Amino acid sequence: IPLQFAGLADVSISEDIPVEGEITVPVGAQSPEEDFSTLDEPVKDTIMRDLKAVGKKFVHVMYPKKSSALLRDWDLWGPLVLCVSLALMLQGGSADSKDDGGPQFAEVFVIIWFGAVVITLNSKLLGGTISFFQSLCVLGYCVMPLTVAMLVCRLVLLVGAGTVSFIIRLIVVVAMFGWSTLASTAFLADSQPPNRKALVVYPIFLFYFVISWMILTFTPQ
Amino acid sequence: FAEFDDAANLLAVNPDATTISIEEPVEIPKKQHGRLQESGREEDDELLGTDDSDKAELLAGQKKSAPFWTFEYYQTFFDVDTYQVLDRIKGSVFPVPGKNFVRLYIRSNPDLYGPFWICATLVFTIAVSGNLSNFLIHLGKPTYHYVPEFRKVSIAATAIYAYAWLVPLALWGFLVWRNSKVMNIVSYSFLEIVCVYGYSLFIYIPTAILWIIPQQVVRWVLMFFSMCLSATFLVMTFWPAVRDDNRRIALATVVTIVLLHDLMSVGCLEYFFDAPELDLPAPVIPVHNSTTVVTKS
């Protein structure tokens, strides 16, 4: 029996009109991630899910194909871990009390984050369609090859600090710099207007160049 | 010259079209206006100067009509394509007398991309080249321990950004003040002056890279060459803006511009690049059994 309203003034339903019907909302096809609230799951599951997402992005950086997974589900955990480990590994350089040493922890941190923000703003101002945090995510994750280069450099420096070790470090850093730049360009270039691609790619090149320079000039005490 | 007619018609229609919408109708007259400037550049400087400034002020006023707290307002300062930036750089490196940089390349569309990224590149180029050249100069010495000298990056950044943004501010203020006293001066907006200074610094990027060569003569020749180029560029850009003024003030302005520019480049060379040491013949030291020992340092 359909409900009929005589008018808005009279909204009370008297008892002699039987009211029945179904008030269930038809449940559509639920997405597999949301079939139950994540509040009740064990903490290990939550952490493992996020770790798997971060790990998947690292794999995407290693083999850069044009996939939208990196862009769609952005997170900043990976960039934070990479930035902190890179800044930590750049410590212990010629850090005597004089000012002319290597970059301090805060300087590396600021360069990476401030540089990434400036590049993102630059690409958005030039008319890019990527969102702010997606771009930060890509730029942060693509620091990974350079972090690997820093690790290799430190290991090589443990062995010796002569010309041969310098040449090995140079080759490794140049290769990783190329990899970083190509990986981030592969992800970011599509979202730019075509006649401004070079304007957007050049600051990314400068950014990774500066980081590579810091890595290459690291000298232990 | 159909473009003349089209441009004239569009410009005549323009004042009526302002109220409707902002982006689309302005695009076409802006580009046609550019072509009008190029075909007319053989004409008399002053005629084109004052006419242009009126029309360009109108167009400039229409273009930046988004309120300054929205993102779109700042996007108007980055409305350049790759080839435009490259053209502007070429125009700054090869200053040709008769072609005014601002009128030819920038007039309706000053950008902040060029000044900002040229300054950033220059900061890092100077810091890296200075570090590299010091390393090469002191290479053989046993007492030398290489340091990355990272602190110099912040110093370079402060110096270059202050020069590229505060000097245009002062110059713009000065020109506005003089403009209020002497009426028909070609005047540039603040952003155009920032553009000119930013692009004038481009020549120092290859110069800084070549300063790695540890020869004083080579460095000073390079410095002289790049100083001449960019000072010529600055003078040719700003002379039309001050020449209608009192002769002495005009000359003083131009001399100040050139002096500040020279000061900046000499300061960069002296501070960031150690002087390569000369190989001096050592003094003869007489020893008590009358044999002389000559030591070379």
Side-chain angles (χ1 to χ4, degrees):
Chain A
I1 301 171
L3 283 171
Q4 291 177 359
F5 292 112
L8 281 177
D10 179 10
V11 217
S12 61
I13 300 175
S14 56
E15 279 143 20
D16 49 343
I17 303 178
V19 176
E20 38 176 296
E22 296 257 340
I23 316 180
T24 52
V25 176
V27 175
Q30 282 175 332
S31 44
E33 295 117 34
E34 289 158 353
D35 42 4
F36 52 87
S37 139
T38 59
L39 205 55
D40 297 329
E41 64 180 7
V43 175
K44 186 169 85 84
D45 281 356
T46 316
I47 295 182
M48 285 312 297
R49 188 174 57 238
D50 279 343
L51 277 180
K52 276 199 207 130
V54 170
K56 207 159 56 154
K57 291 205 193 62
F58 277 136
V59 170
H60 273 123
V61 172
M62 301 247 288
Y63 304 110
K65 318 185 281 283
K66 287 192 196 349
S67 83
S68 57
L70 197 72
L71 293 181
R72 201 179 46 223
D73 308 318
W74 61 267
D75 74 88
L76 292 178
W77 283 114
L80 182 67
V81 163
L82 287 171
C83 180
V84 167
S85 48
L86 187 61
L88 280 177
M89 283 196 278
L90 278 169
Q91 295 310 297
S94 346
D96 20 22
S97 55
K98 285 206 292 251
D99 281 336
D100 280 350
Q104 302 300 311
F105 182 92
E107 284 170 338
V108 177
F109 213 79
V110 161
I111 282 189
I112 292 183
W113 286 103
F114 186 64
V117 165
V118 165
I119 293 177
T120 308
L121 279 180
N122 176 65
S123 82
K124 284 188 78 65
L125 282 169
L126 282 169
T129 54
I130 201 171
S131 98
F132 183 76
F133 285 106
Q134 281 172 348
S135 171
L136 276 189
C137 168
V138 168
L139 287 168
Y141 270 102
C142 289
V143 171
M144 191 190 75
L146 287 169
T147 312
V148 168
M150 182 75 222
L151 197 59
V152 169
C153 281
R154 280 213 88 147
L155 292 174
V156 167
L157 279 170
L158 280 179
V159 173
T163 315
V164 174
S165 98
F166 175 72
I167 293 183
I168 297 178
R169 283 186 289 142
L170 182 67
I171 294 177
V172 167
V173 169
V174 166
M176 294 296 149
F177 160 65
W179 196 343
S180 283
T181 312
L182 285 174
S184 58
T185 311
F187 288 118
L188 291 178
D190 282 341
S191 61
Q192 305 304 322
N195 47 347
R196 295 180 184 183
K197 276 208 167 69
L199 295 185
V200 172
V201 168
Y202 171 70
I204 300 180
F205 169 88
L206 188 64
F207 175 63
Y208 289 124
F209 178 81
V210 170
I211 299 181
S212 314
W213 176 256
M214 289 197 292
I215 292 175
L216 190 58
T217 60
F218 172 77
T219 45
Q221 262 179 333
Chain B
F1 294 103
E3 291 148 4
F4 253 3
D5 292 337
D6 285 347
N9 288 339
L10 277 166
L11 284 172
V13 165
N14 223 1
D16 302 331
T18 50
T19 52
I20 302 175
S21 80
I22 295 129
E23 294 308 321
E24 266 44 73
V26 176
E27 287 302 323
I28 305 157
K30 191 171 69 169
K31 289 195 174 73
Q32 302 253 356
H33 187 67
R35 270 184 248 146
L36 175 65
Q37 290 166 354
E38 282 193 39
S39 46
R41 75 175 168 249
E42 283 86 14
E43 293 177 12
D44 190 25
D45 258 5
E46 278 151 30
L47 197 59
L48 210 51
T50 45
D51 266 351
D52 257 7
S53 60
D54 290 343
K55 294 190 184 107
E57 300 254 328
L58 269 177
L59 285 175
Q62 290 165 13
K63 201 165 73 98
K64 297 171 180 43
S65 56
F68 68 88
W69 56 83
T70 58
F71 193 68
E72 284 73 28
Y73 176 75
Y74 297 102
Q75 267 185 323
T76 57
F77 301 138
F78 282 77
D79 193 17
V80 278
D81 292 337
T82 309
Y83 76 90
Q84 282 175 316
V85 173
L86 291 175
D87 276 345
R88 291 176 186 194
I89 291 178
K90 261 200 310 231
S92 78
V93 172
F94 304 117
V96 175
K99 289 193 196 172
N100 186 324
F101 178 76
V102 176
R103 207 175 299 136
L104 194 55
Y105 291 110
I106 290 187
R107 192 64 195 193
S108 45
N109 194 13
D111 72 303
L112 286 182
Y113 178 91
F116 182 77
W117 286 109
I118 291 179
C119 288
T121 310
L122 188 60
V123 165
F124 288 114
T125 310
I126 285 190
V128 167
S129 304
N131 197 232
L132 201 54
S133 96
N134 292 350
F135 171 70
L136 288 175
I137 285 175
H138 299 296
L139 189 47
K141 303 202 181 91
T143 55
Y144 177 68
H145 178 64
Y146 169 75
V147 284
E149 292 176 322
F150 199 75
R151 200 50 54 98
K152 290 202 171 167
V153 172
S154 353
I155 298 176
T158 314
I160 288 175
Y161 273 98
Y163 176 75
W165 292 77
L166 293 183
V167 171
L169 185 64
L171 186 60
W172 172 74
F174 177 76
L175 286 178
V176 162
W177 174 59
R178 293 309 301 172
N179 202 15
S180 69
K181 299 204 163 195
V182 183
M183 276 332 283
N184 47 353
I185 292 184
V186 169
S187 72
Y188 300 131
S189 75
F190 171 62
L191 283 172
E192 286 163 354
I193 302 184
V194 166
C195 253
V196 169
Y197 265 85
Y199 283 102
S200 77
L201 287 176
F202 178 81
I203 185 71
Y204 287 108
I205 295 177
T207 310
I209 297 179
L210 287 174
W211 273 343
I212 296 179
I213 301 174
Q215 299 293 329
Q216 279 293 61
V217 175
V218 170
R219 284 184 182 174
W220 280 94
V221 163
L222 282 169
M223 153 103 88
F224 183 70
F225 180 66
S226 54
M227 236 159 53
C228 275
L229 260 183
S230 53
T232 315
F233 170 65
L234 284 176
V235 166
M236 280 198 321
T237 310
F238 286 111
W239 182 244
V242 294
R243 68 181 163 190
D244 295 323
D245 203 346
N246 180 357
R247 193 48 45 162
R248 276 197 217 143
I249 295 189
L251 276 177
T253 313
V254 167
V255 165
T256 313
I257 292 177
V258 172
L259 265 182
L260 281 175
H261 207 67
D262 295 348
L263 202 63
M264 205 241 5
S265 46
V266 170
C268 279
L269 179 60
E270 290 303 305
Y271 183 72
F272 292 103
F273 294 82
D274 286 349
E277 290 170 15
L278 304 169
D279 213 0
L280 299 166
V284 171
I285 304 172
V287 186
H288 69 276
N289 56 355
S290 78
T291 53
T292 55
V293 176
V294 175
T295 55
K296 256 201 177 323
S297 61

